[in-house]
Amino acid sequence: MITKFKKAFQDADFKEILTKGFSFLLLKVGGTIVGYLFTLFITLKFGANIYGAVAFSFSIFMIVSVVGKLGLDTNILKFFSDNENDKDSGLFYKSVLKSFVFSSVLSLLIFLFRYELVFQIFEVPKPQLLPYLPWVLAAIPLWSVNHISAGYLRAKKHTKSFAFFYNPARFLFSLLILSILYLITQDPIITVQAHFFAVLLSAICSFLLVSSQIKKKQKRSKVNSWSFMFSGIPMMFSSSILILLGWMDTFVMGIYEDDSEIGIYNVSLKVATLASFSLEAINAILAPKIAKDYLTNNSKNYKRLISFSTKLNFLISSFVIIAIILLKDILLGMFGIEFLAGATILIVFCFGQLINSFSGSVGVILQMTGKQKIYQNIVLVALVINLMLTFALTPIYGGVGAAIATVISMAFWNLGGAIYLKLYLNITSYFNPFKRDTK
């Protein structure tokens, strides 16, 4: 094992995945700790009931924002991974503008129909959400700007900046602002107000950082920005479906369960996602490498990188999953005694994370090798499975039923994607301890 580790550091690509991936991981862990502190602040100061309302509001935020991005964040990543496209900076600015306008329209439509949403969709009306929605919806266009900027930073291998703005910045700024607002008032509305100002600050900082990195700023683009936008729609659908897969269970929980149950469910989900950090860290480095090797027809190299990355991720994730299960009472108890009720939900999610880790970087590989439509179809079927099972199991088994539905759909798209890659592209994305990573 030690010998293999030394050899990995002698390989330039493996070394970059290990070192930059570790940097991303540290930022991700730090950001998640801040996110947990933000959650902890709300649960301790306001209780599971208020946190449930906040978590449900965030589910709307995530679902709508991924549609508003139009897939442009992923398209920007692919386009600017090729250094030859650096001169076409106008495409970045046009992408930001189109996404901002489209997101704003979506947010406005939901705001206009907020009463129908609150009073007609749920079994028990949730008028308590009405004060939260304007602040959450106003943050959506800003989050689109932030993610497209982060996509550019990722393409140019500014891994630490990308890692910071992709998620940690949102909760770091939220926690700081919430701490200040709490000194002024204890009204629960400050939870989403802090979130709005945090997203605003993150969007401004990320956009200005990208602008400072662009040497030659242009308003016009050689590439037709409308064609570029439409080419990103398959990725938008894939991303939208993935977000729906990640947040639809919380949304459906909101239809059948009270805010307290939503809060317990969401905290269990947050704890389980600790196991996904290594995959996210590796994907941050792996995606532009695969995109570059694919464009230059260097299939041997990206297959080698995929095999190495999958093994590394599976080993790290397995260790984390075991630790989460053993320490589940401590981890859940940090948020309050009432959250211990989510132990079974947490174990179900850990099983799903194990399948996710075993399958490897399926989504990244398919999207970076031009198979985004195939990926879209796989996750679309997974979404249908998720919706059917969630609506069937949640009314009967509550949070455990929603978790089982999510894990089954997650297993379908991960394993299905891995099988497609092996059969049609001869890419082994899944964990195979007997496959050697050689040049």
Side-chain angles (χ1 to χ4, degrees), residues 36 39 42-43 47-56 249-250 253-254 257-273 328-329 331-347 349 397-400 402-403:
Y36 285 166
T39 299
I42 298 173
T43 57
N49 200 49
I50 292 298
Y51 178 69
V54 172
F56 184 80
D249 47 359
T250 301
M253 282 281 291
E257 304 290 338
D258 59 30
D259 291 342
S260 179
E261 291 297 319
I262 298 172
I264 293 171
Y265 180 89
N266 193 261
V267 164
S268 300
L269 176 59
K270 280 182 177 292
V271 174
T273 54
K328 62 182 183 301
D329 290 340
L331 293 171
L332 292 173
M334 290 171 54
F335 298 91
I337 297 176
E338 56 194 321
F339 289 93
L340 292 174
T344 303
I345 297 172
L346 176 59
I347 292 173
F349 278 130
Y397 302 107
V400 175

Side-chain angles (χ1 to χ4, degrees), residues 58 68 82 89 91 101 106 140 156 159 191 280 313 327 401 424:
F58 284 172
D82 185 353
S89 62
L91 190 61
V101 172
L106 285 178
I140 290 172
K156 306 320 295 179
T159 308
T191 55
E280 291 183 33
N313 170 63
L327 301 173
Y424 294 96

Side-chain angles (χ1 to χ4, degrees), residues 229-407:
M229 183 186 75
F230 287 121
S231 68
I233 288 179
M235 297 183 194
M236 180 202 73
F237 281 126
S238 299
S239 300
S240 300
I241 294 167
L242 284 176
I243 293 296
L244 284 171
L245 281 170
W247 286 94
M248 184 54 68
D249 47 359
T250 301
F251 189 85
V252 176
M253 282 281 291
I255 296 176
Y256 295 107
E257 304 290 338
D258 59 30
D259 291 342
S260 179
E261 291 297 319
I262 298 172
I264 293 171
Y265 180 89
N266 193 261
V267 164
S268 300
L269 176 59
K270 280 182 177 292
V271 174
T273 54
L274 287 168
S276 66
F277 287 174
S278 60
L279 184 62
E280 291 183 33
I282 289 168
N283 284 348
I285 312 302
L286 190 62
K289 284 184 170 294
I290 293 176
K292 184 177 181 180
D293 285 340
Y294 179 75
L295 289 172
T296 57
N297 295 316
N298 191 357
S299 61
K300 184 177 180 180
N301 192 55
Y302 69 68
K303 288 180 181 180
R304 185 176 64 94
L305 295 176
I306 290 168
S307 177
F308 171 76
S309 300
T310 301
K311 290 178 182 178
L312 178 65
N313 170 63
F314 185 77
L315 293 173
I316 296 173
S317 297
S318 298
F319 175 79
V320 175
I321 290 169
I322 293 171
I324 290 173
I325 293 174
L326 293 175
L327 301 173
K328 62 182 183 301
D329 290 340
I330 297 175
L331 293 171
L332 292 173
M334 290 171 54
F335 298 91
I337 297 176
E338 56 194 321
F339 289 93
L340 292 174
T344 303
I345 297 172
L346 176 59
I347 292 173
V348 173
F349 278 130
C350 282
F351 180 71
Q353 290 295 338
L354 185 64
I355 296 174
N356 187 31
S357 175
F358 171 81
S359 304
S361 306
V362 171
V364 166
I365 298 168
L366 286 169
Q367 291 185 91
M368 295 301 110
T369 55
K371 302 298 180 182
Q372 56 266 27
K373 289 186 178 179
I374 298 295
Y375 182 55
Q376 171 191 314
N377 293 337
I378 292 173
V379 294
L380 180 59
V381 175
L383 177 62
V384 173
I385 294 172
N386 179 267
L387 288 173
M388 292 173 61
L389 291 177
T390 303
F391 278 104
L393 298 177
T394 302
I396 303 172
Y397 302 107
V400 175
I404 291 173
T406 299
V407 167

Side-chain angles (χ1 to χ4, degrees), residues 93 152-153 205-215 217:
Y93 293 110
Y152 181 91
L153 293 170
C205 291
S206 60
F207 180 79
L208 290 177
L209 179 59
V210 171
S211 294
S212 69
Q213 298 291 326
I214 296 175
K215 296 179 180 179
K217 298 176 178 59

Side-chain angles (χ1 to χ4, degrees), residues 18 34 98 113 128 142 153 178 243 247 251 311 346 363 365 434:
L18 287 167
V34 172
K98 284 179 169 58
F113 290 97
Q128 66 270 26
L142 300 170
L153 293 170
L178 180 60
I243 293 296
W247 286 94
F251 189 85
K311 290 178 182 178
L346 176 59
I365 298 168
F434 304 106

